[in-house]
Amino acid sequence: MRYQYWNERMETLPREQLFTHQVELLKWAVENALRTPFYKERLKKAGVNTPDDIKSLDDIRRIPFTTKYDLRDGFPYGFVSVPKDDIARLHASSGTTGAPTTIYYTKDDLTRWANFMARSIYATGCNKSDVFQNMITYGLFTGGLGFHAGAEEVGMLVIPSGAGNTARQFRLMRDFGTTVLHATPSFLLHVESKMREEGFSLNELRLRKAFAGAEPYSEDTRRRIEELLHIDVYNSYGLSEMNGPGVAFECQCKNGLHLWEDGYFGEIINLDTLEPAPDGEVGELVITCLCREASPILRYRTRDLSAFYPEPCACGRTHRRLHRITGRTDDMLIINGVNLFPSQIEEVIMSMKEVGNNYLIVVEKEGVLDRLTVKTEVGPDVFWDDARLLNALKEKIRKTLQASISINPRVELHENGSLPVSEGKAKRVIDSRPKDV
Ligand code: AMP
Ligand code: ZN
């Protein structure tokens, strides 16, 4: 395969040269950070008084971690390094796990972000002849405007359709010959279900690719979307604290996400020791933003679980790849003492053909015990009136799950298209147990 690069020199820079470049960027990030109220104090305490205290990449370990709580405490301007007049835009994180945090950008920050986004889009083989439908929330969430700017930079025809309203989405796809979609994986699955329901044929469309991100999903879910919509699906990772999307992205090899290391310095740390984990070992992803002046954030604990693939990628890019995010340190459920990540359930059920595109995990207290219920839609070809068949399917799902997660779940089947769908990030878990237990 012939691979195309947005910035060939930077994307294929030999790693030694990349390290040298990173040291310079890190010094710049520290210089910016020293101008913020939060880091002025934090860095001085750690003995980092000037950017020249950073002499090598190892020196990053002199900098303490920054957490979500620090960002909240610093709200609204504790992390700003430039005069307010130089701020061109702000975004806020979705706040799904608590109060939102705000990130600020100068004009140059926005240009740099758009460039990382363009690089990501280009790495998937898209170019200016593509028609891009951005089916994700615009607004404070970074996914809408982030992709929008990157796609414009590539020169694609951009349709800022936003999330939701599937009927209108189909019309736009058909009328303007959309070739590339961006959405959450759960919304892509919903789109496919609706398309079938409303009798839209893929033959009327010119779809060929989609970018799916903003929430975890399994390899089976990717494959399912690809098979149902006859497209290539690329994993897109980002977070508002690190600008938004365009932090790490899959190339055409679709085997891990290249972390753009000339914009983001990544570390994987062991959850117990908080020390660097060896390559290949799963731990928490910690990122330092090397490309934003207005809100410098150093060694941010993302709470996302991933691992580095140490081997070089066949595409020729030298930037290391991350394993798809398997979950967050804070989304682990403990059910009667057994640890469970929602992604383990998704992995099992999305590989079963009879299971539909949507599911929900419910955890409740029943007496002294925890009760796990997995609600899944059945596939469109499963006959909803055949009680015997449904019972057998339920039992099959229960047994397969039990073998894989070591918990005996209750399984509930729901008619195709009947479980709630979210336009943004999917809400997959309802845990109604009292919090103090
Ligand atoms: P936000 O700051 O609201 O954009 O949320 C960022 C969070 O969304 C990340 O920290 C991840 O937990 C999650 N996320 C984003 N992209 C992905 C992805 N491709 N796979 C898994 N989780 C993702
Ligand atoms: Zn690659």
Side-chain angles (χ1 to χ4, degrees), residues 66-135:
T66 302
T67 66
K68 186 92 184 166
Y69 301 104
D70 293 327
L71 296 185
R72 277 179 206 160
D73 291 348
F75 182 85
Y77 293 120
F79 283 82
V80 176
S81 81
V82 296
K84 276 191 206 139
D85 285 357
D86 291 344
I87 298 173
R89 199 198 289 168
L90 64 80
H91 277 285
S93 81
S94 49
T96 39
T97 56
T101 51
T102 315
I103 299 298
Y104 305 89
Y105 309 75
T106 62
K107 266 184 115 166
D108 285 347
D109 291 339
L110 291 171
T111 304
R112 279 185 284 266
W113 178 21
N115 252 295
F116 282 112
M117 247 347 294
R119 183 195 288 189
S120 306
I121 291 172
Y122 214 64
T124 66
C126 293
N127 56 47
K128 69 193 285 288
S129 62
D130 278 299
V131 179
F132 174 60
Q133 193 162 323
N134 200 13
M135 304 195 299

Side-chain angles (χ1 to χ4, degrees), residues 270-435:
N270 179 291
L271 285 177
D272 299 322
T273 63
L274 305 187
E275 292 294 321
D279 277 345
E281 196 175 293
V282 173
E284 181 178 344
L285 178 59
V286 172
I287 315 182
T288 298
C289 193
L290 300 178
C291 58
R292 192 178 53 224
E293 185 183 5
S295 293
I297 298 187
L298 312 175
R299 300 196 87 198
Y300 181 63
R301 290 190 60 178
T302 65
R303 301 192 271 191
D304 291 323
L305 296 171
S306 185
F308 275 120
Y309 289 141
E311 312 82 23
C313 184
C315 74
R317 289 178 179 82
T318 49
H319 299 235
R320 274 181 308 174
R321 286 166 300 153
L322 288 168
H323 187 283
R324 66 168 59 246
I325 309 292
T326 47
R328 293 172 56 84
T329 53
D330 50 5
D331 74 4
M332 189 181 79
L333 298 163
I334 303 179
I335 295 172
N336 297 323
V338 179
N339 297 349
L340 174 72
F341 282 101
S343 59
Q344 290 173 269
I345 293 184
E346 173 166 329
E347 238 163 67
V348 172
I349 56 182
M350 282 295 142
S351 64
M352 298 173 83
K353 291 268 176 287
E354 309 92 320
V355 171
N357 286 345
N358 202 356
Y359 70 94
L360 192 64
I361 298 166
V362 179
V363 191
E364 298 151 301
K365 204 84 191 159
E366 249 182 30
V368 292
L369 290 179
D370 300 325
R371 197 25 136 161
L372 170 70
T373 306
V374 178
K375 303 183 177 196
T376 73
E377 286 183 5
V378 295
D381 304 330
V382 175
F383 194 45
W384 185 247
D385 293 332
D386 189 336
R388 253 197 23 208
L389 190 139
L390 290 181
N391 272 332
L393 174 58
K394 211 154 97 171
E395 192 52 17
K396 179 175 162 189
I397 298 173
R398 190 192 63 73
K399 274 195 179 145
T400 321
L401 273 172
Q402 188 178 14
S404 153
I405 63 178
S406 308
I407 297 168
N408 185 12
R410 193 182 282 160
V411 173
E412 261 180 33
L413 297 183
H414 291 255
E415 211 167 343
N416 197 261
S418 65
L419 285 175
V421 181
S422 144
E423 286 177 3
K425 295 174 193 254
K427 180 145 181 53
R428 296 290 194 198
V429 181
I430 298 178
D431 188 344
S432 66
R433 292 174 296 181
K435 289 287 169 276

Side-chain angles (χ1 to χ4, degrees), residues 234-245:
Y234 295 89
N235 199 341
S236 146
Y237 172 77
L239 58 161
S240 36
E241 293 81 355
M242 295 295 135
N243 290 329

Side-chain angles (χ1 to χ4, degrees), residues 89 91-92 105 113-114 117 121 132-152 158-163 182-184 211 213-214 236 240 243-246 423-425:
R89 199 198 289 168
H91 277 285
Y105 309 75
W113 178 21
M117 247 347 294
I121 291 172
F132 174 60
Q133 193 162 323
N134 200 13
M135 304 195 299
I136 208 134
T137 316
Y138 276 70
L140 286 177
F141 175 58
T142 52
L145 286 170
F147 264 89
H148 186 105
E152 279 188 350
V158 183
I159 307 177
S161 61
H182 170 222
T184 56
F211 312 129
S236 146
S240 36
N243 290 329
E423 286 177 3
K425 295 174 193 254

